[in-house]
């Protein structure tokens, strides 16, 4: 399921996975500043990402912020048509997940059923790279990653989950216009 996003192929959803911790979406402009699990400090960048509460949080990287997708490790894809990170989690005792095609087709209904946390405001300098937070930014594009095209600007970030139904194994993180 995990694929690298070196080539852009229309209509192909790229899923990124983590070995054990959170995923992070770092603006390309500051990728070299993300040290991952390495570092000379007592707390690595990866440790800082793991310490963020909730399913979505913002963390300083360089002179901007990166989006941490926390909670349990989950295969994650960005769906630009919805401005949404979709995270496939195990649904309780049910190990079977929806097929990728059905999951994508069911996203609009899942959005209607989702329970949303309060939104954060995020100023984005441009495109992002989504990858395992344990990796360094310098190594991110040499491993499992996805490039997320976002125009520079202000965005609202809201995390949600679907409490029931066939989408109960989904965590959602919406990136869109900021609230009022």
């Amino acid at each position: 399921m995990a694929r690298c996003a070196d080539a852009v192929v229309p209509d192909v959803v790229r899923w990124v996975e983590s070995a054990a911790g959170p995923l992070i979406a770092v603006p390309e402009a500051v990728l070299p500043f993300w040290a991952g699990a390495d570092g000379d400090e007592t707390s690595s960048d990866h440790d800082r990402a793991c310490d963020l509460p909730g399913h979505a949080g913002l963390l300083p990287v360089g002179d901007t912020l990166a989006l941490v997708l926390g909670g349990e490790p989950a295969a994650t894809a960005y769906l630009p048509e919805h401005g949404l990170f979709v995270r496939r989690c195990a649904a309780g005792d049910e190990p079977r997940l929806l097929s990728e095609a059905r999951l994508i087709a069911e996203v609009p209904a899942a959005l209607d059923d989702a329970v949303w946390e309060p939104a954060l405001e995020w100023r984005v300098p441009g495109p992002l790279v989504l990858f395992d937070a344990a990796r360094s930014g310098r190594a991110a594009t040499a491993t499992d990653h996805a490039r997320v095209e976002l125009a520079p600007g202000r965005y609202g970030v809201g995390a949600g989950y679907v409490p029931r139904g066939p989408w109960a194994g989904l965590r959602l993180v919406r990136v869109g216009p900021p609230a009022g």
Side-chain angles (χ1 to χ4, degrees):
M1 177 168 22
R3 294 172 247 170
C4 283
D6 291 329
V8 175
V9 180
D11 300 325
V12 172
V13 176
R14 295 190 178 2
W15 294 89
V16 177
E17 296 188 50
S18 165
L23 293 174
I24 189 162
V26 177
E28 281 182 334
V30 296
L31 269 177
F33 296 104
W34 183 258
D38 297 331
D40 298 328
E41 301 176 22
T42 57
S43 179
S44 70
D45 285 344
H46 180 257
D47 292 334
R48 293 188 310 131
C50 289
D51 289 343
L52 277 179
H55 293 280
L58 299 174
L59 194 63
V61 178
D63 62 355
T64 190
L65 299 171
L67 175 63
V68 176
L69 302 175
E72 66 184 80
T76 302
Y78 182 74
L79 305 178
E81 64 274 21
H82 298 287
L84 188 71
F85 289 96
V86 176
R87 311 195 72 212
R88 294 174 70 150
C89 306
D93 294 331
E94 179 61 44
R96 183 186 59 79
L97 295 172
L98 296 173
S99 71
E100 181 178 308
R102 182 162 174 227
L103 183 146
I104 301 304
E106 300 289 350
V107 164
L111 286 169
D112 290 341
D113 287 348
V115 175
W116 296 94
E117 297 172 2
L120 305 169
E121 187 173 311
W122 185 23
R123 187 170 296 281
V124 177
L128 313 170
V129 178
L130 176 69
F131 59 98
D132 185 335
R135 303 221 181 264
S136 75
R138 294 184 191 281
T141 58
T143 62
D144 187 20
H145 74 282
R147 187 167 193 267
V148 176
E149 293 289 338
L150 284 183
R154 283 185 22 208
Y155 291 87
V157 176
Y161 70 96
V162 183
R164 64 191 184 293
W167 316 287
L170 291 182
R171 290 278 175 190
L172 308 170
V173 178
R174 189 171 16 202
V175 179

